[in-house]
Amino acid sequence: MKTFPQFPLQFPLQDSWKKEDFLVAPCNKDAFDMITQEPLGPQAALWLIGEKGSGKTHLAHLFSETLIPAERLTQEEVPSFAGKKVVIEDIAADKTDEIALFHLYNLLKETKGQLLLTAREKISFRLPDLDSRLKTAPVVKIGLPDDVLVASLFLKMFYDRHIAVSGEAVNYLVTHTDRSFDAIRRTVAQLDNLSLSAKQKITIPLIKKLYE
């Protein structure tokens, strides 16, 4: 079994969107480098693809202070974004005003602004003009975490909850948890609840109860 050290990382106690607080790993380095470079590049739009909990929102905050959930984008507010860097989060079929997004794309292209689209997967749009423009936009993906990042994420999430865990417990979790950002988050929350209800520390025997 591999051994993962308890990395001496200084994690914040609440969400922090600072550049130095983003955990860079092989699975997200391309996305991190693309999002944080200045300037982004000649393209007017960029897709950022990754599963839930993969760090898309953190990267979005590094890209811009203007973050808009896709379902809340309206045509009326589009003119106010001229020349800005804008993030439209969680693009999904049937949850986006495609006309508003089309006007936003054209506005940012004309005014030298930039558009970041985050989603779990790249989608096609019903509006032909919008689909043709965003179909050619570059795509950068966040992949599944490797063992070292999984261990780091467990340590961070336990730290955020003020929970001390041993290296052995983290090792066990790394080898028994689905390789998914969302699964890691759920596991930490479930173990926290189990620990409180059982009035026990999070040890390997307690972790095993979660998988029974």
Side-chain angles (χ1 to χ4, degrees):
M1 180 182 295
K2 294 182 180 179
T3 299
F4 299 98
Q6 297 208 35
F7 305 102
L9 301 174
Q10 297 300 313
F11 293 118
L13 296 181
Q14 57 187 359
D15 286 338
S16 171
W17 308 123
K18 294 180 181 179
K19 186 175 181 179
E20 58 268 26
D21 291 324
F22 186 83
L23 300 180
V24 181
C27 67
N28 59 34
K29 188 177 186 304
D30 288 344
F32 178 81
D33 290 344
M34 176 69 79
I35 296 301
T36 57
Q37 70 177 345
E38 289 290 346
L40 177 62
Q43 63 269 13
L46 174 70
W47 285 92
L48 175 61
I49 304 300
E51 68 168 80
K52 180 180 178 181
S54 62
K56 297 192 302 296
T57 295
H58 195 151
L59 289 176
H61 277 276
L62 296 182
F63 179 79
S64 173
E65 295 180 353
T66 306
L67 277 65
I68 305 167
E71 69 272 15
R72 296 183 185 176
L73 177 65
T74 64
Q75 297 180 49
E76 291 76 16
E77 64 183 329
V78 167
S80 66
F81 300 132
K84 294 183 178 180
K85 299 174 75 170
V86 180
V87 180
I88 304 300
E89 288 198 291
D90 300 323
I91 296 284
D94 302 322
K95 292 185 178 181
T96 306
D97 184 333
E98 294 191 4
I99 295 178
L101 185 57
F102 175 66
H103 289 320
L104 176 62
Y105 173 89
N106 287 335
L107 174 69
L108 295 177
K109 186 174 182 180
E110 293 169 2
T111 60
K112 296 183 179 180
Q114 292 180 325
L115 177 63
L116 179 65
L117 306 167
T118 74
R120 295 192 184 186
E121 59 183 3
K122 188 176 181 180
I123 68 168
S124 297
F125 296 94
R126 297 184 303 275
L127 189 65
D129 287 340
L130 176 65
D131 190 59
S132 64
R133 284 162 174 76
L134 293 183
K135 185 175 292 183
T136 60
V139 178
V140 62
K141 296 182 178 181
I142 300 175
L144 295 178
D146 59 18
D147 286 351
V148 174
L149 182 56
V150 170
S152 298
L153 289 170
F154 270 119
L155 289 168
K156 177 188 186 304
M157 293 178 193
F158 283 126
Y159 185 94
D160 288 346
R161 292 170 179 261
H162 306 278
I163 299 171
V165 292
S166 68
E168 291 76 13
V170 172
N171 291 342
Y172 187 88
L173 286 167
V174 170
T175 57
H176 289 78
T177 305
D178 290 342
R179 196 50 46 108
S180 158
F181 293 93
D182 198 37
I184 295 168
R185 291 176 185 273
R186 290 197 310 269
T187 299
V188 170
Q190 291 168 348
L191 284 173
D192 190 6
N193 291 333
L194 183 60
S195 174
L196 290 172
S197 62
K199 297 182 180 179
Q200 297 177 19
K201 293 183 179 180
I202 295 178
T203 59
I204 292 178
L206 185 70
I207 294 170
K208 287 181 177 180
K209 292 183 180 179
L210 189 64
Y211 297 101
E212 291 178 350

